[in-house]
Amino acid sequence: MATRHFLTLLDLTPDELTHLIRRAITIKNGLKTHGPTYTPFSNRTLAMIFEKSSTRTRVSFETAMAQFGGHALFLSPRDTQLGRGEPIADTARVLSEMVDAVMIRTFSHAGLETFAAASTVPVINALTDDYHPCQLLADVMTWTECRGSVRGKTAVWIGDGNNMCHSWINAARQFDFQLRICCPEGYDPDPAILAAAGERVTILRDPQQAVDGADLVTTDVWASMGQEEEQARREQAFRGFQVTEALLDRAAGDALFLHCLPAHRGEEISETLLDDPRAVVWQEAGNRLHAQKALLEFLLLGRVE
Ligand code: CP
Ligand code: NVA
């Protein structure tokens, strides 16, 4: 059987993704009830290549492997031959000889695809400049835990048409919900990714209008990793796109707020938004652990009911 990778949400079928969300909730409940007694990965190893910073992604993957009875290796380009120019494909072939799966956080999505094409073990996208699919597993899991099936619901993305926005677009396709995107002009998502989502996704310019009656609101930093020099210009462009309690008041009465974190209070969110009961961001962050356990289990062991 061909090796399955998880480079975007489109690598799994809608049915497989729905299964993963259900499975993540089951794994989470099992951990709460019985502690880390489910250890299907005895002696299995996940290599984790980080070319960008991380708190949640590193800790959740490393903890997932430890609790599953396996092991995770943290690899940074500073300390490996990747940083000294060893070709990506050669690294993929070498790691495939030793480990059971590879997780990569990097800049270029094409570079990740090159790695995956040469790898004979599953490769997981832990964020590229273009996508962050693991975050969406945790986000859809959180939305499902709090409000039931997301099918037919309406989410709103406020802010930059970035990697997270692209993964929200793919999530709307795969989980069958409506997505309104509200970006300042010049910061829209990739037109091809948007076009592929058809009528499930619409672009709006006015945050008040975008949020009206919505079931979920989400945003992200205005300047992503690698865009630090654009911070001042982006602060100007995104003025008026801050998510506040008052903006959320225009959404449905039971609306939720998500943020992948890290958050910049006073920029994309108000100083106090994360204290609002509609914000479920700590549950969302914690769900990275459970959602990625379900993903690793699926990629290494196949569908477990
Ligand atoms: N949300 C997220 O991926 O966080 P980290 O950058 O801390 O991994
Ligand atoms: N868009 C952000 C997400 C961080 C988890 C970034 O790429 O920096």
Side-chain angles (χ1 to χ4, degrees):
M1 202 177 74
T3 304
R4 299 285 299 269
H5 302 302
F6 185 64
L7 308 190
T8 77
L9 288 168
L10 305 182
D11 286 333
L12 269 59
T13 66
D15 181 56
E16 287 169 338
L17 288 169
T18 303
H19 162 77
L20 273 198
I21 301 300
R22 212 173 36 238
R23 187 71 193 138
I25 294 171
T26 301
I27 289 171
K28 177 178 179 176
N29 291 337
L31 180 67
K32 276 193 187 152
T33 312
H34 308 294
T37 51
Y38 177 51
T39 53
F41 284 175
S42 170
N43 297 321
R44 304 248 190 159
T45 302
L46 172 73
M48 307 190 300
I49 300 173
F50 280 97
E51 296 191 323
K52 290 177 173 175
S53 302
S54 169
T55 299
R56 280 144 289 269
T57 304
R58 177 177 177 183
V59 173
S60 53
F61 270 111
E62 201 161 327
T63 304
M65 287 304 292
Q67 291 184 347
F68 266 5
H71 182 65
L73 282 172
F74 176 77
L75 303 170
S76 98
R78 271 184 309 280
D79 316 310
T80 59
Q81 300 291 2
L82 265 176
R84 297 181 62 251
E86 182 164 13
I88 292 173
D90 290 2
T91 306
R93 292 179 68 172
V94 170
L95 292 184
S96 295
E97 295 289 326
M98 301 187 210
V99 305
D100 298 282
V102 181
M103 182 237 81
I104 309 181
R105 170 167 286 197
T106 188
F107 293 86
S108 158
H109 193 78
L112 174 74
E113 289 173 335
T114 302
F115 190 104
S119 174
T120 57
V121 299
V123 175
I124 297 170
N125 179 359
L127 184 146
T128 61
D129 287 346
D130 295 339
Y131 298 99
H132 193 6
C134 288
Q135 182 67 51
L136 262 292
L137 294 180
D139 290 5
V140 174
M141 177 186 173
T142 308
W143 194 5
T144 306
E145 278 184 315
C146 294
R147 297 288 182 262
S149 171
V150 306
R151 195 166 187 185
K153 299 227 168 109
T154 299
V156 183
W157 172 269
I158 309 259
D160 190 17
N162 64 11
N163 46 8
M164 275 296 301
C165 179
H166 291 158
S167 284
W168 269 98
I169 295 172
N170 282 347
R173 289 174 63 176
Q174 298 290 71
F175 291 99
D176 195 13
F177 60 84
Q178 296 294 315
L179 179 67
R180 301 177 194 155
I181 295 175
C182 188
C183 313
E185 278 188 64
Y187 293 92
D188 286 354
D190 182 298
I193 297 171
L194 185 64
E199 291 179 356
R200 280 207 191 78
V201 183
T202 48
I203 298 266
L204 296 159
R205 298 293 173 203
D206 175 15
Q208 311 271 334
Q209 192 194 349
V211 165
D212 188 38
D215 300 300
L216 181 136
V217 178
T218 186
T219 187
D220 187 14
V221 292
W222 290 341
S224 286
M225 289 182 276
Q227 298 173 332
E228 288 77 9
E229 298 90 80
E230 297 177 30
Q231 177 70 28
R233 179 155 60 81
R234 284 171 170 268
E235 279 178 28
Q236 290 295 322
F238 288 91
R239 204 178 289 271
F241 287 77
Q242 186 183 78
V243 182
T244 63
E245 290 89 329
L247 187 67
L248 277 192
D249 288 344
R250 303 183 71 95
D254 65 347
L256 296 173
F257 174 74
L258 294 179
H259 190 310
C260 63
L261 306 177
H264 292 187
R265 291 172 177 82
E267 291 182 28
E268 78 275 5
I269 55 165
S270 64
E271 292 288 346
T272 48
L273 188 67
L274 299 190
D275 306 320
D276 188 286
R278 292 169 288 189
V280 288
V281 298
W282 314 120
Q283 180 179 342
E284 177 190 7
N287 280 342
R288 295 291 304 277
L289 171 66
H290 315 295
Q292 286 156 200
K293 276 184 174 172
L295 174 66
L296 287 162
E297 182 193 63
F298 178 80
L299 292 175
L300 292 185
L301 303 179
R303 196 161 166 145
V304 177
E305 297 297 338

